[in-house]
Amino acid sequence: MHHTVVERELELRLILSPERGIPVPARLSYRSDDPYAVHITFHINSDSPVNWTFARDLLVEGVFRPCGQGDVRVWPSKAEGRSVVLMALSSPDGDALLEAPVPQVSAWLERTLRAVPPGAEGGQLGIDDALDQLLAR
């Protein structure tokens, strides 16, 4: 089975305070063989990048309205007159608030939704085929 990968490099802002943020290069990744998830890799000043994985639906919804709870929360906002999406990430290693430009995130999300439309994720996993084979025995 052929799998699609949709990636986008972009610069996020790590919000340190209401007045201060620093740029963080990042890569958004989506793979049709992991159809429910989005992956974000942050290239920070360290030996290895920081990787986060969470539900694609969470990011899709977060562009329009606040959503999420626990480790990942996403919501739309404005920053200096620009539409942005904020992502609050929490882990045992610390918390981060990141700002991403909505136009770039939305364009990337649209590409993922064309690759695997909402509701079609289960078909990408081959679960139905595996169940058919198992039950045929």
Side-chain angles (χ1 to χ4, degrees), residues 80-93:
E80 299 169 0
R82 298 176 298 116
S83 292
V84 297
V85 62
L86 295 172
M87 294 176 278
L89 308 175
S90 298
S91 78
D93 295 326

Side-chain angles (χ1 to χ4, degrees), residues 59-94:
L59 190 54
V60 169
E61 186 177 341
V63 169
F64 299 102
R65 67 188 134 282
C67 64
Q69 56 186 338
D71 294 345
V72 180
R73 292 177 293 119
V74 184
W75 65 96
S77 189
K78 293 279 187 190
E80 299 169 0
R82 298 176 298 116
S83 292
V84 297
V85 62
L86 295 172
M87 294 176 278
L89 308 175
S90 298
S91 78
D93 295 326

Side-chain angles (χ1 to χ4, degrees), residues 22-46:
I22 58 172
V24 177
R27 176 185 298 121
L28 301 174
S29 299
Y30 177 79
R31 299 187 318 259
S32 63
D33 62 336
D34 188 9
Y36 292 103
V38 294
H39 307 272
I40 303 179
T41 303
F42 303 102
H43 304 285
I44 56 175
N45 296 330
S46 67

Side-chain angles (χ1 to χ4, degrees), residues 59-136:
L59 190 54
V60 169
E61 186 177 341
V63 169
F64 299 102
R65 67 188 134 282
C67 64
Q69 56 186 338
D71 294 345
V72 180
R73 292 177 293 119
V74 184
W75 65 96
S77 189
K78 293 279 187 190
E80 299 169 0
R82 298 176 298 116
S83 292
V84 297
V85 62
L86 295 172
M87 294 176 278
L89 308 175
S90 298
S91 78
D93 295 326
D95 301 327
L97 179 60
L98 294 141
E99 174 186 288
V102 165
Q104 288 93 329
V105 172
S106 292
W108 175 77
L109 281 170
E110 285 177 22
R111 289 175 49 214
T112 75
L113 295 168
R114 279 195 301 274
V116 179
E121 295 93 348
Q124 296 295 311
L125 299 175
I127 293 172
D128 291 337
D129 293 338
L131 277 175
D132 288 345
Q133 290 176 1
L134 184 64
L135 295 174

